[in-house]
Amino acid sequence: MRPDVFQAHELFRVDTPALGAYGRRLLAEGDSWFTIGSLNLPRSSNILVNLDFSSRNAVVSCAYPGHTLQHMVDCLHDPYFDRLLRQPNFASYWEALLISGGGNDLIDAAQVPPKDVRGRPVPVDRRLLLSPGEVAANTGIQGLERYVSETGWARLAGYLQANFAELVLRRDQGPSRGRPLFVHTYATPVVRKSGTVGAPNGWLYPAMLTNAIPPEDWQGLATLLFERLRRLLLSLDQGSGGPNALSAVHVFDSAALPNLIPAAPESTGNSGDWINEIHLSLKGCRKLGRAMGAFVDSVLSSYP
């Protein structure tokens, strides 16, 4: 059963939705995978409206295209999420939180060029990809890792871990203390010239061109980066047993779904289960939504 999804601003109107009529109320925040009706994507091409639950649930969404984790924890960028989560006189009890985070952050980092708009070098720890000269000098590293700024990756990884920890802290400062916080990994996109309004050539494709990555290494490098992100997100799961594990955080591994069909590398539009380079199509969202909804149901059944 798909949820009824409400935008956060609807809760601040006179005729607010009757959320008490639902079995569960979930608060969602995140990047473009959770965004409804953004840019030129169909309304139904996002994960939230395609979640498939065993009961009738309401989802209140604060998600917006381009949101990164910094936006999510910064109430100046998001006027609703922090209020609804923990601020007195605004916050409500939520049976769970749904967070889509890390994907936009990775892609943003990959798009940082070796030089800024004024031609000044960008410090290597503020980039995810190395310049051709830096790659050539990186003789001690073989394989696709030679393209990666390890100091840049370390900075990104630390940033992601810190911001997820901050989300957990803020959850526990409000009425939803200790409730499950769900995160998902990201299926690896195919690098191709397929974008949307504001990014007509896609996101990873121009990043590969800007950093002069050889075309034969584009997909392998994208796979390497998204696998690193996947491992980082999985380490946050409370059952991971690692030092990054966070209380009541549960990670759905969408990157492991076997039935998502990759796009054709030469395609420029809807292909496989993808509507553009980094966003799933309606068909892809429905596949992921069914699996993630079942995961959320299973985990919630273990909570009082």
Side-chain angles (χ1 to χ4, degrees):
M1 184 179 301
R2 293 179 191 165
D4 288 339
V5 180
F6 302 95
Q7 295 302 292
H9 65 82
E10 296 181 61
L11 272 63
F12 294 86
R13 301 186 317 199
V14 174
D15 55 336
T16 58
L19 299 184
Y22 294 88
R24 295 186 181 119
R25 291 145 295 275
L26 313 178
L27 181 64
E29 172 61 295
D31 55 27
S32 53
W33 273 38
F34 272 11
T35 304
I36 295 175
S38 65
L39 308 179
N40 68 349
L41 303 182
R43 173 181 170 82
S44 52
S45 280
N46 74 89
I47 307 305
L48 290 181
V49 297
N50 287 289
L51 291 169
D52 195 353
F53 296 118
S54 59
S55 60
R56 185 167 177 250
N57 297 328
V59 174
V60 174
S61 175
C62 303
Y64 193 79
H67 265 194
T68 61
L69 282 169
Q70 184 61 41
H71 288 138
M72 296 176 207
V73 300
D74 187 344
C75 61
L76 295 177
H77 286 94
D78 190 327
Y80 299 117
F81 181 68
D82 198 59
R83 289 190 206 175
L84 294 172
L85 182 62
R86 63 168 184 160
Q87 289 190 19
N89 302 320
F90 290 103
S92 299
Y93 173 80
W94 306 97
E95 277 80 4
L97 306 182
L98 304 175
I99 303 295
S100 182
N104 274 11
D105 303 272
L106 175 69
I107 290 167
D108 283 356
Q111 292 183 95
V112 176
K115 294 184 178 181
D116 64 19
V117 293
R118 296 183 179 180
R120 299 172 300 189
V122 176
V124 70
D125 68 334
R126 296 182 178 274
R127 293 183 275 124
L128 198 51
L129 300 178
L130 297 174
S131 68
E134 291 164 339
V135 172
N138 207 11
T139 56
I141 300 178
Q142 301 299 313
L144 297 167
E145 285 83 0
R146 69 189 186 276
Y147 297 116
V148 180
S149 165
E150 293 299 341
T151 54
W153 170 258
R155 186 185 185 95
L156 174 63
Y159 157 86
L160 294 176
Q161 291 160 357
N163 279 277
F164 273 112
E166 179 66 18
L167 285 174
V168 169
L169 176 65
R170 295 191 180 194
R171 175 200 65 189
D172 291 345
Q173 291 173 342
S176 303
R177 177 182 176 85
R179 296 305 301 174
L181 187 155
F182 292 96
V183 180
H184 67 80
T185 64
Y186 293 79
T188 301
V190 171
V191 181
R192 61 193 181 109
K193 190 178 181 180
S194 178
T196 186
V197 175
N201 295 324
W203 297 264
L204 296 170
Y205 175 83
M208 297 294 177
L209 292 177
T210 297
N211 290 280
I213 307 296
E216 62 269 22
D217 288 335
W218 287 357
Q219 193 54 45
L221 179 55
T223 299
L224 169 68
L225 294 175
F226 273 83
E227 179 59 24
R228 285 192 180 194
L229 177 62
R230 178 195 183 196
R231 292 198 301 267
L232 186 151
L233 292 171
L234 288 172
S235 76
L236 303 176
D237 192 286
Q238 72 166 14
S240 70
N244 298 326
L246 297 170
S247 173
V249 168
H250 303 274
V251 183
F252 173 67
D253 192 8
S254 64
L257 285 181
N259 59 342
L260 285 179
I261 302 171
E266 69 280 2
S267 61
T268 58
N270 200 334
S271 178
D273 284 330
W274 299 79
I275 197 167
N276 56 38
E277 188 186 42
I278 64 171
H279 297 107
L280 291 170
S281 65
L282 171 58
K283 184 172 62 173
C285 287
R286 285 179 174 169
K287 289 180 180 180
L288 197 157
R290 284 193 293 270
M292 187 171 178
F295 176 82
V296 171
D297 274 339
S298 176
V299 172
L300 280 172
S301 68
S302 68
Y303 280 77

